[in-house]
Amino acid sequence: MILIALAVLVAAGGYFCASAAGRATAEETTAKAWVICQPGDYVNLRAKATKQSRAVSRLDCGDMVELDGKTKNGYARVVNLTIDGPGEVWIYTGYLVFDEPRWYGDEMTVVGNARVAARKNCGGDVRRWLQPGTDVWVYWMSEDWCVTNRGFIRTKYLEVGSV
């Protein structure tokens, strides 16, 4: 059973904002993740692994959760969380990162050889394309993703200062 859970966690890497591969061990059958979203926003916890399912609670930016499984439609089961309501709760993985995000609260500049995607969430649909040299306000930053005033942008495409 532990090996099955480990295989599920390692396979989940492609569905989360950052890869969990190599972070789970035979003794650890859950993965820690952090919520990343726009300031003042929150992410719903749902009774079932669908957007249409009722929200049973919510998490704020920066909150940590433990996960043990995922679905093909991008939801993960949250464990070790005490809330009133159903026994299982689910969270959409497009708002999760595997390294603790930090508040940045400053401007950065888009860099790259071509336009850069600003997305709806980590790995989600493109909201708009940004040209190199565009300044954005960065709220939250993780190793892989930044939450900006223009959308979610891969950290590697941002740097401090003008181009």
Side-chain angles (χ1 to χ4, degrees):
M1 185 65 167
I2 289 176
L3 291 176
I4 292 170
L6 177 61
V8 167
L9 286 173
V10 171
Y15 290 93
F16 294 130
C17 288
S19 176
R23 296 203 184 180
T25 64
E27 295 81 34
E28 180 182 297
T29 60
T30 62
K32 288 184 183 179
W34 284 263
V35 175
I36 190 168
C37 57
Q38 296 286 341
D41 272 355
Y42 55 87
V43 175
N44 286 321
L45 294 172
R46 300 195 178 275
K48 296 181 182 175
T50 68
K51 185 175 183 175
Q52 294 75 29
S53 177
R54 71 181 172 87
V56 296
S57 190
R58 66 187 201 189
L59 295 173
D60 295 319
C61 299
D63 285 349
M64 191 273 297
V65 293
E66 291 183 50
L67 311 170
D68 82 340
K70 63 144 185 96
T71 64
K72 289 181 181 180
N73 66 342
Y75 281 81
R77 185 174 45 213
V78 177
V79 296
N80 299 329
L81 184 66
T82 305
I83 62 167
D84 293 333
E88 283 190 345
V89 292
W90 299 83
I91 190 169
Y92 184 65
T93 59
Y95 297 102
L96 298 176
V97 293
F98 282 96
D99 59 300
E100 188 171 6
R102 70 183 201 285
W103 177 259
Y104 189 75
D106 205 352
E107 248 183 20
M108 294 185 92
T109 302
V110 174
V111 296
N113 296 328
R115 62 189 186 156
V116 172
R119 299 181 178 280
K120 181 178 176 182
N121 52 51
C122 300
D125 294 336
V126 175
R127 285 180 141 180
R128 62 182 56 93
W129 292 98
L130 302 174
Q131 297 299 322
T134 303
D135 289 331
V136 295
W137 188 264
V138 176
Y139 303 111
W140 290 97
M141 176 181 279
S142 76
E143 281 182 31
D144 293 326
W145 290 94
C146 288
V147 178
T148 76
N149 61 328
R150 302 286 186 100
F152 287 68
I153 300 174
R154 287 244 181 226
T155 303
K156 67 183 179 181
Y157 296 118
L158 296 173
E159 71 178 24
V160 177
S162 297
V163 176

